[in-house]
Structures are given as structure tokens and as C-alpha cells.
Amino acid sequence: MSATPIPDQVPGQFTLVLHTHLPWLAHHGRWPVGEEWLYQSWSAAYLPLFRVLRTLAAEDRRGMLTLGMTPVVAAQLDDPYCLDGMHRWLANWQLRALEATTLPEPLASFGIREYEEAGRAIEEFSTLWRHGVSPLLRELIDAGTVELLGGPLAHPFQPLLNPRLREFALREGLADAGQRFAHTPSGIWAPECAYAPGMEHGYAAAGVDHFMVDGPSLHGETALGRPVGETDVVAFGRDLQVSYRVWSPKSGYPGHAAYRDFHTYDHVTGLKPARVTGRNVDSDTKAPYDPQRADKAIDAHVADFVGVVRQRLISESERIGRPAHVVAAFDTELFGHWWYEGPVWLERLLRALPEAGVRVGTLRDALAGGFVGAPVELPPSSWGSGKDWQVWAGEKVADLVQLNAEVVDTALSTVDKALAQTNTAPTRDLVADQILRETLLTVSSDWPFMVSKDSAADYARYRAHLHAHATREIADALASGRRDAAERLAAGWNRADGLFGALDARRLP
């Protein structure tokens, strides 16, 4: 029996980019929106993704993917309170699975598999994650398995942000990554892939030499990275033809009938024991999940995606007359949280691509390999609906845009005055620090996104106004000369919002 022939090496390079982000959820509600969202994403997406990456690293596979990790999600994955909460959540998951084993079939068999999966997660979490995500990710970066992308503190929609706060959030965010991972990123995932003309100069000043935009920002010309304006800062565009094969507004692999259904719960145990079954099938009539059926679908979708990437590299290289670069980019939480089978698909894909003659590398590898074209002027853009700013600046969120502007003005003027009075002090001003911390949480891009998409909109408005209230409350006390009251208020809010411990208001430009 002859060996399977090895496919010809295709020109160019393929890069997979994952963007890992959740808003600050610790201490702000549990269910249906709040810490539960964090723990579900951690157990279903982050744990299995790092399991995959550690396996690939152990095989000395380098340049497997470019991983964006926002400072706000890293803060939660390192936070002792969140680590304790996650451990309890995993134990509760195992108890719920145990309860399922006592129920009638097919739920009992499903419970057995879930019980084993929860046990594996508990063991892994207890041994590998006890000090948070930082040591794990640092190992993967050191091994060359992943390239780290950073980002500004608390994920603000940068085009609408006061330039002073925009610069501060970016520099502090990059420094935060440097402290956690012993690597300061030179590439970022700009929150929401949002861009306004001129932002490239701020990136260059902060030491950023490449960033992500969506394909339409480059008018669909994503086959090469493009220096922006007169700078050396390179924009890489998401290839929608390839990316949408996996996850699109209307279709994609996760909706296949064999995969686990995200929306269908068993109301006794809270587990998800059904498969998608069909697009128009009611939850109570969905078929039981069948792992073997799902496994066959994973293999089919790996083969399909490899074929799509090969063909895209060949056709784009022919079109531009030189080896092309193809970037597929997704939210990390798609793989495992939204699409249960996603992590397995990822591992098989990252093995299958090189076997199919596809060169896999990071964005940093693409820069080093010369996959860069002519300079370009980018339009105001994002990866949201319409590829413009409407999700974060449209009529539905006009009140939040106004709120953000007012809160930022209050915060900056108050902090300026406070620092002017204490500029001879050798220590930090913890009141000013907390004002900026609450301001950054107020202007998180998550809140207008959730309102525009009508996804837990009430929670999103509550959070935006809560952090705005905290900012104003502390600032008012400080402005009226009640320094002691301002210190008490800042300390109180810090108990819930104590993330970014190294944030230092004295570095505000």
C-alpha cells in the first residue's frame, strides 16, 4: 500500500489570530450576566485552548497562532478572587454532572461524560492554573508557540476617546502585559478593530508596529499587511472570505446539526445535552448530543477549511503576483464557549495545515517574512455591523456616548488638579488612580456593544452608569476639599474594582 502523497507547498503564509476579551465581571453580578459569563468562558474556552497550545508547544511547534489577550481579561484570569470563584464553579459543574447521571437516559450517559470532563478540568486547573494565566502564557510565548497581542486598559472604543486618555490606556495596557508575561507586545488588537485616521502615530509613539483591522478597512485588499500613512506601523486585515467560513453573521461550522447546541439547557442540571439538530427545530425536540457524530463533522470541517485556505493562498498569490498572506481572525470565546467542538477543531487544523503544504506563522512572522505591501490611508472603521462606528456611536447609544464624554472630562480635570497639588509627593495618589480606573471601566466598548445588539442591554447600561457614578462620587469629594472622604470612597470602590494595580495617574500625559 503506497503512502499518501504530500501536497505541494502553497505560496505565502496563513495566520490565525484569536482575540481574548471579556469586560470586568468580578464583583458585578453572577447570573444571568456577570461572573457566570467569566467562568463559563474560562472552563469551556480558555482551559481547552491552553491545553491545545501546551500540547503543540511540547512538540516544539512554533508560530502556531497570534493570541490577543486584553489587559482586562488577563487581570481576571490572574485575580485571586476569580481563581477561587473558578475553582468553586468547576466543582459545582461536576456536582451538576453527577446529578445528571441519576436521571433517565440519554441524560445519564451525557452526565457521565460531563462528570469526567469536569474532573479533568478541576485537576488541570488545580495544578496548572493556581497562579493564574500569566505563567502559562509566558511559557507559550517563550517557546515561540504563540505571538502575544496586547491592547489598551479596559478595552475602550479608541476613536471616540479623549486623546490623553487614549494614550494613557494604551501605554498602561502594554506595560501591564510586560509585567504579567515578561513580554511587552509590539502588536495589538485594537478594541473592536476600531480605527480613526491619525491613530497610527499614537501607536508608533507607544512602540506598536502592527495592529489588526477588519478586511473592509483595507477595501478587501488583505493579501498583504499595509503600512499606514507615512508611518512604519502595519495594519493587517482579516480575510472575510476565509474567516466567515467558520463564523459569519448567517452561517458557519458551529451551526452544523451534529454539534452541541449552545442555547438548549437541561433545566434541572443546567447542562447542555442536545445537538443543534436543525436550524428551525425547537429546543424541546432537539436530538441528544452524539460525540461520534460530532467528531466526524469536526474532521469534515477541518478538511474543508484547509482546502479553503490552500485555494485562497494560491488565488491571492496569483492575483498580486507574489506570495500572499491570509489572516483568519476570531474571538477566542468562539472556540469552546459558543462552539463546544471548537478547541478540538483548532488542534486538528493546526496539525493539518502544515501537512497540506500550508506555511503557518504569526503576524510577527509575516512582518519578518516581508508580507507587506504599499502604504495605505485607512478610513474610519471597525469590525462591527456596517464596518463603521454605528454600534458604538449610533442613535441607540447616544446617551452612553454623552455619558462617556462627560465622565472623561470630569476625571481628567479632577486628576489634573489633584496631581498639581501633590506633584512633589514621592508616592502615588491612590484617589487619582481610582478615578482613572473607574473612568476606564465606564468607557469600556462592551457596554454600547451590548446595548446596540440588545444583549443584556440593561446590565450594560447599569455597569456604565455604575462606574460613571463611582468616578463622579470620588471626584466630587476631592473637588470640594473633602480629601478624607475621597480616600474612603476610592478605597471602597477599589474593593470591587481593584484591577490594574500598577495603574499610576502620575503617568497621565
Side-chain angles (χ1 to χ4, degrees):
M1 185 172 170
S2 60
T4 304
I6 299 174
D8 293 334
Q9 185 80 23
V10 299
Q13 178 188 304
F14 171 74
T15 297
L16 178 65
V17 183
L18 298 184
H19 172 55
T20 314
H21 173 67
L22 291 173
W24 178 250
L25 299 166
H27 310 285
H28 291 290
R30 186 66 184 261
W31 174 269
V33 188
E35 291 176 17
E36 181 75 12
W37 185 8
L38 169 65
Y39 301 141
Q40 285 185 8
S41 298
W42 203 338
S43 65
Y46 309 150
L47 257 67
L49 173 64
F50 275 79
R51 186 184 305 145
V52 167
L53 294 175
R54 286 173 59 82
T55 299
L56 296 172
E59 298 170 5
D60 200 28
R61 293 178 183 257
R62 303 175 65 84
M64 288 284 94
L65 60 80
T66 296
L67 182 64
M69 178 72 67
T70 66
V72 70
V73 79
Q76 291 176 100
L77 300 186
D78 278 346
D79 187 86
Y81 170 85
C82 294
L83 287 163
D84 181 64
M86 180 58 182
H87 199 265
R88 293 169 187 270
W89 191 93
L90 291 173
N92 180 263
W93 173 26
Q94 191 174 47
L95 287 174
R96 290 185 285 117
L98 183 62
E99 182 177 9
T101 66
T102 67
L103 300 174
E105 292 288 359
L107 200 56
S109 296
F110 182 84
I112 292 171
R113 291 194 300 272
E114 283 279 292
Y115 183 84
E116 292 173 351
E117 192 170 336
R120 178 186 187 186
I122 291 170
E123 175 65 22
E124 204 168 75
F125 188 79
S126 301
T127 54
L128 296 176
W129 287 80
R130 60 190 303 175
H131 299 298
V133 73
S134 290
L136 292 173
L137 185 48
R138 189 182 307 164
E139 285 182 5
L140 294 171
I141 301 168
D142 287 343
T145 306
V146 303
E147 175 200 1
L148 174 69
L149 293 186
L153 293 180
H155 213 256
F157 192 82
Q158 295 182 108
L160 299 179
L161 195 58
N162 178 293
R164 291 179 64 203
L165 193 59
R166 183 199 299 172
E167 179 183 338
F168 179 77
L170 178 59
R171 289 183 180 276
E172 292 289 303
L174 296 173
D176 183 84
Q179 289 175 324
R180 290 183 195 279
F181 310 121
H183 293 269
T184 301
S186 61
I188 68 165
W189 181 289
E192 316 299 356
C193 291
Y195 172 82
M199 279 173 49
E200 66 275 11
H201 296 291
Y203 290 164
V208 171
D209 62 13
H210 62 289
F211 67 106
M212 280 293 302
V213 296
D214 209 0
S217 300
L218 290 169
H219 313 291
E221 288 288 337
T222 58
L224 294 169
R226 306 287 293 278
V228 182
E230 298 177 353
T231 70
D232 295 324
V233 180
V234 174
F236 286 102
R238 186 171 67 134
D239 187 314
L240 295 189
Q241 181 173 318
V242 174
S243 299
Y244 278 2
R245 194 74 172 194
V246 178
W247 187 246
S248 77
K250 296 180 180 177
S251 62
Y253 302 149
H256 188 274
Y259 290 143
R260 186 181 292 190
D261 189 78
F262 175 81
H263 300 284
T264 302
Y265 284 87
D266 168 63
H267 293 291
V268 175
T269 62
L271 303 178
K272 300 176 182 179
R275 59 184 177 89
V276 172
T277 311
R279 186 174 286 271
N280 299 311
V281 179
D282 292 335
S283 289
D284 55 1
T285 56
K286 287 186 182 287
Y289 184 66
D290 180 348
Q292 292 179 317
R293 183 189 292 255
D295 202 62
K296 292 177 182 176
I298 293 170
D299 284 339
H301 288 144
V302 167
D304 178 76
F305 194 76
V306 168
V308 168
V309 170
R310 275 183 57 91
Q311 189 52 49
R312 185 66 168 166
L313 281 169
I314 291 168
S315 63
E316 286 291 87
S317 297
E318 290 176 349
R319 183 178 67 81
I320 66 174
R322 57 182 282 194
H325 183 219
V326 168
V327 180
F330 311 97
D331 284 329
T332 300
E333 295 75 26
L334 168 63
F335 298 93
H337 179 54
W338 299 105
W339 178 22
Y340 171 73
E341 296 79 8
V344 177
W345 180 86
L346 265 182
E347 181 170 3
R348 294 181 188 176
L349 175 73
L350 291 172
R351 296 182 188 283
L353 284 166
E355 292 171 1
V358 175
R359 174 184 172 186
V360 177
T362 64
L363 295 181
R364 169 61 54 201
D365 293 334
L367 278 181
F371 292 97
V372 179
V376 66
E377 299 291 338
L378 296 179
S381 51
S382 78
W383 78 336
S385 302
K387 307 304 180 184
D388 54 19
W389 298 351
Q390 63 182 285
V391 172
W392 298 273
E395 286 186 20
K396 289 181 74 172
V397 294
D399 61 319
L400 293 183
V401 174
Q402 180 68 23
L403 177 75
N404 288 352
E406 292 173 358
V407 166
V408 169
D409 283 348
T410 296
L412 294 181
S413 61
T414 304
V415 168
D416 284 344
K417 290 175 184 176
L419 295 181
Q421 294 168 0
T422 59
N423 61 359
T424 57
T427 56
R428 285 164 52 179
D429 185 332
L430 299 182
V431 174
D433 293 351
Q434 193 63 29
I435 289 173
L436 289 183
R437 195 173 281 117
E438 296 294 345
T439 303
L440 287 166
L441 290 172
T442 304
V443 301
S444 166
S445 74
D446 299 277
W447 315 138
F449 176 86
M450 292 164 72
V451 171
S452 290
K453 295 295 184 181
D454 198 24
S455 171
D458 289 344
Y459 178 85
R461 287 190 185 280
Y462 160 74
R463 287 294 304 277
H465 282 277
L466 177 72
H467 297 299
H469 167 71
T471 304
R472 289 164 167 163
E473 186 178 48
I474 303 167
D476 287 348
L478 200 59
S480 63
R482 294 178 291 125
R483 177 80 196 190
D484 289 349
E487 290 176 353
R488 286 195 301 273
L489 288 167
W493 284 107
N494 186 265
R495 281 193 283 274
D497 303 325
L499 69 170
F500 311 141
L503 179 155
D504 189 342
R506 294 176 298 177
R507 291 195 289 266
L508 182 69

